[in-house]
Amino acid sequence: MSFYARVFSMAEDYPSRFAICDELLEAGFEFSTFPGKFDEDFDEKDWKYLMLEYDPNHEPIRIERNVKGVDTIFEEEQEEFLEVLKELPYSKEQKKAIEIVKNMVQIYALDIDEDITEEGWDFLETLLDFIADATDGYVQIDEEGIYDKEGELLIEME
C-alpha cells in the first residue's frame, strides 16, 4: 500500500531534476534516480516524472508533476480536493485552503510506500520542503491535510 503527499504549487516555475538532486545531496542523502543523471532525458526541461530511491531495500518515492491546462489529471485532482474542502465546516482555514486549491497551477504528487523508513521520512521532508519553497507551494498529505508555509497544519482532511 502507498499514500500520497502533494505540493500544490502557486508558481509556474519548477525545479529541474538536477536542482532536486543537488538539494538532496547537499542535505547529505545518498540515493539513486530514474531516469538516471546520465540518461539523455534527465535534463528534460518540462519533466513529468522522477523516481528517487533512498534505500535499495524499500520502494522508491515516485514524483509526478501535473500542470494546469496541460494534464487532465490536474483538473481532476483539483475538482476532487475542492469537493472535499467545500464539505468541511466553514472557517477561515477552510476558505484559505479552497483559495490555495483554486489558484494552484501545478501539483507534485509523491507516491510513497507505507513501509517508509525513518531515514525515508527525513528524505521526504527535505524533498517536500524544497519543492514547496521552489514553487511557492503548500504541502498536502493524505489522511492529514494541507499545511501552511510554516509547516503547521492549516486544515485537517481525512
Side-chain angles (χ1 to χ4, degrees), residues 1-157:
M1 283 288 293
S2 65
F3 66 95
Y4 280 89
R6 296 172 185 81
V7 175
F8 296 155
S9 171
M10 303 295 122
E12 291 181 13
D13 280 350
Y14 53 92
S16 68
R17 288 175 175 144
F18 281 111
I20 292 170
C21 291
D22 288 348
E23 181 70 18
L24 292 166
L25 288 169
E26 282 179 31
F29 293 105
E30 291 184 22
F31 58 95
S32 60
T33 66
F34 181 81
K37 271 190 164 180
F38 301 108
D39 290 348
E40 68 180 61
D41 62 345
F42 190 81
D43 66 351
E44 173 182 33
K45 297 295 178 237
D46 195 19
W47 65 271
K48 296 287 181 205
Y49 302 97
L50 177 62
M51 284 181 31
L52 297 162
E53 184 179 84
Y54 66 91
D55 182 327
N57 299 313
H58 288 84
E59 286 292 314
I61 295 172
R62 293 169 287 284
I63 305 174
E64 182 178 330
R65 181 177 151 266
N66 295 297
V67 181
K68 181 179 184 175
V70 176
D71 303 299
T72 56
I73 195 162
F74 175 93
E75 280 76 15
E76 291 168 7
E77 289 237 320
Q78 186 179 42
E79 278 305 310
E80 284 177 33
F81 278 102
L82 284 172
E83 283 178 28
V84 170
L85 288 168
K86 287 176 180 176
E87 290 176 9
L88 296 175
Y90 179 80
S91 66
K92 67 180 185 186
E93 293 83 8
Q94 182 245 19
K95 187 176 175 183
K96 173 71 174 167
I98 288 172
E99 181 183 315
I100 290 166
V101 173
K102 280 185 177 178
N103 293 321
M104 66 184 177
V105 294
Q106 298 182 85
I107 300 173
Y108 294 80
L110 288 72
D111 185 5
I112 303 146
D113 191 77
E114 66 183 18
D115 290 340
I116 189 169
T117 65
E118 192 163 321
E119 180 189 353
W121 278 109
D122 293 341
F123 184 87
L124 176 63
E125 187 175 320
T126 301
L127 181 59
L128 287 170
D129 286 348
F130 176 71
I131 294 172
D133 289 347
T135 67
D136 189 25
Y138 294 84
V139 173
Q140 179 276 330
I141 299 178
D142 284 355
E143 304 298 321
E144 291 182 25
I146 298 175
Y147 290 82
D148 65 18
K149 301 275 185 178
E150 288 74 44
E152 300 296 320
L153 189 61
L154 174 68
I155 192 159
E156 194 173 318
M157 299 169 65

